[in-house]
Amino acid sequence: MQKAQTISSLVLSLRKKEMIKVRQPLQKVMIPVLDENQRLEIEAVSDLIKAEVNVKEIVLLDDASGILIKQIKPNFKALGPRFGKDMGLISKEIQNLSTEQISQFDREGSLTVVIAGKSVILSLEDVEISSQDIEGWLVANSNGITVALDITISPELKQEGIARELVNRIQNIRKDAGFEVTDKVKVLLQNEDTLKMAVKANEGYIKSETLTEVLVFEEDIKNGTEIDFDGITTKIIITKN
């Protein structure tokens, strides 16, 4: 559950950074795993993570070296008190670490380097390890876990996001109108091309989520409630069916 919380927090922070609402589905998260035990732990909570952050797939990578390029920087606040005048030498050694050494350091939690003929053991607190963003993806790290979020929104994902927003508006109007949770309803929507396409592609989902038995578009709706989201403006009337 701790891993689920860390992964979910990282993905949600990337969504916020990119201003992608949680109701907008995304396709994929890639997560490098250090060993079989970590793989099993994440697999056990993968459905929970997917529901929490609204992604379709979680892909666990045994070897992410060709995909996620790790970077390392010295943490001078930690190194200064420990190494004093040798901090400059240790900092240079850290910055010269190879990609393989950085991955090993991240995986094992410590690394031994030789400075002025003496062996020095570095811990993860002594450095800052991060991963470069790759085209179409955002990358974040925390507590030894790295996530790469696919931020490409296909037309199908966009339509599903619109459908989810519509469901939210219908639920709110149902609640404000005092409908019972079990009431079946009829929904009239004023014609809007983008919304119409999204509804057509996700009609079953919309109806089941909102107990809508009849969902129709009309060219002009008088006295409807105006709703506005994702660049779509339309009117809606909901009645008991």
Side-chain angles (χ1 to χ4, degrees):
M1 292 306 294
Q2 179 80 45
K3 283 186 171 58
Q5 193 171 22
T6 298
I7 293 165
S8 296
S9 294
L10 286 170
V11 174
L12 292 174
S13 71
L14 290 175
R15 277 183 170 275
K16 188 174 181 181
K17 175 182 175 184
E18 201 66 14
M19 293 188 289
I20 301 173
K21 294 179 292 187
V22 179
R23 283 198 199 101
Q24 173 59 60
L26 294 173
Q27 189 60 40
K28 190 183 298 184
V29 175
M30 291 191 298
I31 306 171
V33 291
L34 304 179
D35 51 41
E36 186 62 20
N37 186 52
Q38 191 181 57
R39 171 182 285 277
L40 292 172
E41 286 180 343
I42 295 175
E43 283 178 347
V45 291
S46 63
D47 287 344
L48 183 66
I49 297 167
K50 286 189 283 189
E52 181 73 16
V53 303
N54 196 11
V55 297
K56 303 285 188 183
E57 306 170 65
I58 293 178
V59 178
L60 302 179
L61 303 171
D62 291 315
D63 179 13
S65 58
I67 300 171
L68 300 177
I69 308 301
K70 297 200 174 210
Q71 301 169 302
I72 194 166
K73 291 193 300 185
N75 179 359
F76 295 109
K77 285 185 180 177
L79 292 171
R82 283 186 63 198
F83 300 109
K85 63 183 177 59
D86 289 332
M87 186 177 72
L89 292 173
I90 291 172
S91 170
K92 187 175 180 182
E93 188 72 21
I94 288 169
Q95 289 169 327
N96 287 335
L97 291 175
S98 67
T99 302
E100 291 74 19
Q101 286 174 307
I102 297 170
S103 294
Q104 180 189 348
F105 192 176
D106 199 23
R107 186 169 60 249
E108 297 178 1
S110 65
L111 185 72
T112 301
V113 295
V114 178
I115 303 295
K118 294 185 293 185
S119 288
V120 172
I121 298 174
L122 298 173
S123 70
L124 289 176
E125 287 72 35
D126 296 320
V127 297
E128 295 173 22
I129 296 176
S130 60
S131 296
Q132 293 178 358
D133 290 341
I134 46 183
E135 190 173 350
W137 299 71
L138 290 182
V139 182
N141 311 71
S142 180
N143 298 332
I145 291 175
T146 298
V147 302
L149 177 65
D150 183 356
I151 55 171
T152 303
I153 300 173
S154 67
E156 292 78 15
L157 288 173
K158 180 66 177 172
Q159 288 179 345
E160 188 178 334
I162 290 169
R164 284 173 175 259
E165 290 289 351
L166 179 61
V167 165
N168 174 257
R169 301 310 188 277
I170 294 173
Q171 300 287 40
N172 288 341
I173 293 170
R174 282 183 60 115
K175 185 178 177 182
D176 292 344
F179 290 173
E180 297 293 332
V181 176
T182 54
D183 284 342
K184 306 285 179 65
V185 296
K186 177 180 180 180
V187 175
L188 297 180
L189 287 163
Q190 186 162 297
N191 207 8
E192 202 280 345
D193 290 344
T194 302
L195 180 61
K196 198 169 187 176
M197 287 173 63
V199 167
K200 185 177 179 182
N202 298 276
E203 190 166 348
Y205 161 75
I206 296 166
K207 285 182 171 179
S208 65
E209 287 292 309
T210 59
L211 290 188
T212 296
E213 290 194 316
V214 180
L215 196 164
V216 293
F217 281 86
E218 294 188 353
E219 282 306 317
D220 189 37
I221 288 180
K222 299 284 191 288
N223 304 319
T225 301
E226 187 167 296
I227 56 174
D228 186 351
F229 57 88
D230 291 359
I232 293 167
T233 301
T234 189
K235 289 182 181 176
I236 184 170
I237 295 175
I238 302 176
T239 55
K240 287 185 187 180
N241 196 42

